[in-house]
Amino acid sequence: MAGSSGRQGYDALADAGGCLVGTAEVADGRISVTDTWSADSKRVLLERRVVARAGDPVRVDLEIPIPSDQTDRFFVPGMISAPAQHSRDGRYQFADDRLGYPIVAAWNSAARVVVWLARISLASYDAAPVRELGDRTFRRDTDIGFIGFSTDRGALLAGWPVAEGDHSSQLDAAGHSFETFHGCRDDLAVTITYELASAPAPRFADAVRIATARAVELADPQPTSHSFTLEQSIDYRLDSAAKTYRETASGFAGFVLNFDPERGYDSQAKAFGASFADHEMSGSHGILEYGFTGRQLDLAHSLARRDPEEWAERGARVVDSFVQRMVHDSGWVATLFDVVEDRPLYAIGDERGPVMHYLGRFDVAGTYTRMMTEGGGDLVRNILLHENLGRDVTEWRNAAAGLAGFLLNVQNDDGSWYRGYAPDRTPIVGTDWFGEPNRTGKSATGAVVPYLLQVADMAPELASTLRDAAARAGQYIFDTFVAAAEFRGGTLDNPNDVDKEAAFIAMRALLALEAAQVPGPWRDAATDAAWFALGWHSLWPVPLVKGTPVGRAAVRSVGWGGINSVWGVGVTDIYSLFFADDLHRLGVMSGTPEFVRVAELVAHSSVEILSSPGQLHGFADTGMQPEGISFCDQGAYDGLIRKGDTWGGLGWPYTAGTTGLANYLAARAAS
């Protein structure tokens, strides 16, 4: 911490009966390092023991050279997978607690080989860092380390305790790197074990599969147990969601889901940060959402299906409100409604401005393609339910078919769709937020495919046309995203980042084509995408910091999903539940037990901090929970997120925890 550092080899290296033992002393013998190297036919093991005397803050790094001129791509689960993410020279090293597992893989396309470095003795304790605002060197008494790679030195990196650089999001939006030192207030001895290994990998997707499967094997993650069943958790959430039902003076019906779960249903939601933008949420309480995170029609369906006598009529009013007020003559549908102004609200380019965290500024008013298709899918499920209950759903069917027709009319020649559209079919593309007209602006393509196939099943007269359009979209996904092994732009509030939902959306689209028996390479392509998605999930129990909300609730990180490559797996949400059923089915179909295993972890982790009878976790009612929780700092000096925080002041993770979880349970029962 005083600035003294050294880079050196061993003072001595000895053969110790099949092992090589290297020793070195630093700082006049106050710090010693003993490395024991062993090997078998599959791997090299390094057991590193560090002994330091009291009073000497210490950090020890490891650098393993690799032939950088032959290394094409790197993979760090939950952080690095796309070439553009490591295009500059420098050190890309990440704290263990913001990774799905502390492993780094380097792929050599010429040799068709992947080499990986993994920590196999995982961290077990942590404490809050000792620092002042602006410090970039500080004490942190923990055995959490870091792992990564250097593009300028051509090396795989690891070390203890935490250090991140040359660009880190943990401290501030400026991306300042930092390094920490263990305080050593007493004499200290710590042992950390690493694995170095290689395997044939013809494609980068194979490198990702091999590294991720090895991480699952090393971590051996187990699902969290609870005092209530997953089925009960669904009822807790639905009981809570039912209390948000409202009808306006003009008769518009829906669920008021944007509130602060710590203060109750009638409170305003808190603002929060995404990609270091602090998003205003003070006007969001009266905004009803159809797609993405708030799913009005889904809740109407779930409640009516659970209790038709109580909820069929009210659920139908929610659907009628949508169909009568939100559907445009072109087939385009609005995806937000403002109950205060009693009008549909454009998710993009609305004159009211970005009152929601993902509302995009643009000179054309419209909405997101993903939101339209998710709202449309919920509409189809309501059609099937209420038709069975004896209701005339002709108007609803026309709206669903109209949206499908709109999507057919705006499909690009290459089979893709843009991320947003105006009611007059004008595409919304360009700018950093919406992506460019080539690949980045078309990341919503996968979200359309399942909807077209839903309508094809419901409307046989349209089936051939819709299936053809879905197949062309599937080929675009295969050629553009799967073949390039790059998935970005899945979420709306962190656009164009590499993220888990982009991989999941591609997986779902391809699996839907496989299930619909549309000819094509869909199963293998879906499997490739799913391996990338798996890397976004915490596979190991990150040590908690005492006294924080997450620490007090003793939340296990295992199964929680990271959001994007800005935050990594250290900042998590429960939205992998939207895809857990498909992940399970694909695992069974493809004979990939890792998929089945991670889907189970996702399901069980999602209820860890759900308020339940007798254990509210500080929330206003049962069935509530935060949108996500943090297992590491992100933008700590900017006042965003500290390790142990719950984050996102919204009370609406209902659809993920109701329909998403129920679909997973149904998929598991069917297998």
Side-chain angles (χ1 to χ4, degrees):
M1 290 181 68
S4 173
S5 64
R7 179 188 299 272
Q8 67 183 72
Y10 297 126
D11 298 329
L13 185 65
D15 187 336
C19 299
L20 287 175
V21 179
T23 56
E25 291 189 348
V26 185
D28 298 325
R30 296 194 306 274
I31 301 169
S32 67
V33 179
T34 302
D35 285 350
T36 302
W37 297 85
S38 60
D40 57 29
S41 61
K42 295 182 178 179
R43 62 180 182 173
V44 174
L45 285 179
L46 167 61
E47 182 183 272
R48 166 161 285 187
R49 182 170 177 81
V50 181
V51 177
R53 294 182 182 176
D56 286 317
V58 62
R59 191 184 81 249
V60 181
D61 297 351
L62 171 68
E63 184 175 295
I64 297 179
I66 56 173
S68 59
D69 60 334
Q70 300 172 31
T71 300
D72 301 86
R73 290 178 72 168
F74 291 91
F75 173 65
V76 182
M79 285 302 308
I80 298 287
S81 61
Q85 294 178 289
H86 53 79
S87 59
R88 57 176 174 76
D89 286 340
R91 298 172 67 88
Y92 297 81
Q93 56 192 48
F94 309 101
D96 297 344
D97 56 359
R98 66 190 301 217
L99 302 178
Y101 187 87
I103 187 171
V104 55
W107 180 62
N108 184 319
S109 63
R112 299 161 71 88
V113 165
V114 60
V115 179
W116 69 88
L117 174 67
R119 179 174 174 173
I120 61 175
S121 60
L122 294 172
S124 61
Y125 68 92
D126 193 17
V130 180
R131 65 190 178 196
E132 300 293 333
L133 183 65
D135 286 350
R136 293 172 57 193
T137 302
F138 45 88
R139 198 183 85 209
R140 182 171 171 183
D141 295 345
T142 181
D143 63 348
I144 292 175
F146 68 85
I147 208 156
F149 58 94
S150 172
T151 52
D152 51 358
R153 296 187 61 84
L156 301 181
L157 308 174
W160 158 88
V162 180
E164 289 202 342
D166 293 323
H167 187 89
S168 171
S169 63
Q170 288 219 35
L171 297 185
D172 52 37
H176 284 123
S177 61
F178 69 92
E179 54 184 350
T180 70
F181 293 78
H182 203 291
C184 296
R185 286 169 287 190
D186 301 309
D187 289 351
L188 178 73
V190 62
T191 301
I192 299 176
T193 306
Y194 299 99
E195 172 184 280
L196 181 67
S198 66
R203 307 171 302 148
F204 180 67
D206 297 316
V208 170
R209 170 182 54 81
I210 290 165
T212 305
R214 184 59 180 149
V216 174
E217 184 179 16
L218 289 170
D220 190 24
Q222 303 300 317
T224 303
S225 59
H226 314 288
S227 60
F228 49 85
T229 67
L230 295 178
E231 290 81 1
Q232 286 175 315
S233 76
I234 294 172
D235 283 328
Y236 294 156
R237 287 190 174 103
L238 285 177
D239 290 345
S240 176
K243 298 175 184 178
T244 70
Y245 179 79
R246 303 286 187 275
E247 292 185 22
T248 69
S250 66
F252 197 94
F255 301 90
V256 179
L257 305 180
N258 296 328
F259 58 86
D260 178 355
E262 294 179 352
R263 294 186 295 145
Y265 299 106
D266 295 326
S267 64
Q268 287 287 347
K270 299 174 186 173
F272 66 97
S275 289
F276 297 107
D278 194 28
H279 296 289
E280 180 58 50
M281 296 288 290
S282 60
S284 67
H285 186 258
I287 306 299
L288 309 185
E289 299 172 86
Y290 300 81
F292 196 36
T293 49
R295 302 271 288 270
Q296 295 287 316
L297 301 185
D298 172 81
L299 280 179
H301 174 269
S302 294
L303 289 166
R305 183 179 61 177
R306 183 177 71 157
D307 186 357
E309 184 175 344
E310 178 72 18
W311 276 97
E313 287 302 320
R314 280 187 283 184
R317 286 198 287 274
V318 174
V319 181
D320 280 336
S321 296
F322 173 78
V323 170
Q324 294 166 9
R325 298 285 304 273
M326 309 284 279
V327 177
H328 193 273
D329 290 343
S330 66
W332 178 94
V333 297
T335 57
L336 297 173
F337 189 85
D338 186 337
V339 298
V340 176
E341 297 186 1
D342 194 37
R343 69 172 178 92
L345 189 75
Y346 291 108
I348 300 168
D350 194 88
E351 61 184 19
R352 185 173 169 185
V355 295
M356 291 294 293
H357 58 290
Y358 56 78
L359 299 198
R361 291 185 172 91
F362 206 72
D363 56 4
V364 173
T367 195
Y368 293 96
T369 305
R370 175 180 172 180
M371 293 187 74
M372 287 197 290
T373 59
E374 289 177 346
D378 295 338
L379 174 60
V380 170
R381 291 188 297 119
N382 274 284
I383 290 169
L384 299 177
L385 172 67
H386 285 271
E387 198 167 48
N388 286 335
L389 295 175
R391 182 176 295 274
D392 181 358
V393 295
T394 302
E395 190 177 12
W396 300 2
R397 281 182 169 273
N398 291 339
L403 175 58
F406 176 89
L407 294 167
L408 290 175
N409 283 322
V410 297
Q411 187 175 25
N412 297 312
D413 291 341
D414 60 8
S416 68
W417 285 274
Y418 290 116
R419 294 186 65 186
Y421 290 93
D424 65 359
R425 303 175 185 165
T426 300
I428 296 174
V429 64
T431 76
D432 290 341
W433 193 273
F434 296 105
E436 295 309 315
N438 46 36
R439 298 176 67 237
T440 60
K442 299 177 178 180
S443 61
T445 299
V448 181
V449 172
Y451 177 67
L452 296 186
L453 294 175
Q454 278 181 292
V455 178
D457 286 342
M458 183 187 70
E461 71 278 8
L462 302 173
S464 177
T465 301
L466 294 174
R467 285 167 61 89
D468 287 347
R472 290 197 297 121
Q475 193 63 51
Y476 177 84
I477 295 166
F478 178 82
D479 293 339
T480 308
F481 303 125
V482 177
E486 182 170 341
F487 303 91
R488 65 173 69 231
T491 63
L492 307 185
D493 49 347
N494 292 280
N496 302 325
D497 290 327
V498 175
D499 61 63
K500 75 169 183 296
E501 291 189 49
F504 268 140
I505 287 170
M507 176 199 75
R508 168 161 287 174
L510 296 163
L511 187 59
L513 287 162
E514 176 76 12
Q517 299 182 336
V518 176
W522 315 130
R523 181 188 301 187
D524 289 345
T527 301
D528 279 350
W531 278 112
F532 281 83
L534 242 64
W536 286 96
H537 296 86
S538 182
L539 300 173
W540 66 290
V542 171
L544 306 178
V545 175
K546 294 179 180 179
T548 63
V550 172
R552 288 192 297 269
V555 179
R556 295 178 73 239
S557 60
V558 174
W560 284 83
I563 300 168
N564 60 53
S565 54
V566 175
W567 292 351
V569 182
V571 181
T572 64
D573 62 29
I574 72 168
Y575 296 125
S576 293
L577 275 179
F578 283 129
F579 309 95
D581 59 329
D582 285 330
L583 185 61
H584 178 91
R585 276 192 290 267
L586 181 59
V588 173
M589 182 188 303
S590 64
T592 310
E594 292 90 347
F595 295 176
V596 174
R597 191 169 188 181
V598 171
E600 182 183 24
L601 299 177
V602 166
H604 283 270
S605 70
S606 68
V607 301
E608 279 202 75
I609 200 166
L610 176 70
S611 56
S612 58
Q615 193 171 33
L616 293 181
H617 295 299
F619 300 119
D621 197 3
T622 58
M624 293 182 179
Q625 69 180 110
E627 181 184 2
I629 57 178
S630 179
F631 296 101
C632 72
D633 289 344
Q634 294 295 340
Y637 289 169
D638 292 336
L640 292 185
I641 301 170
R642 292 186 182 272
K643 179 170 183 174
D645 284 350
T646 60
W647 69 278
L650 304 175
W652 43 230
Y654 289 118
T655 295
T658 54
T659 297
L661 184 54
N663 287 345
Y664 164 73
L665 293 173
R668 191 176 68 178
S671 63

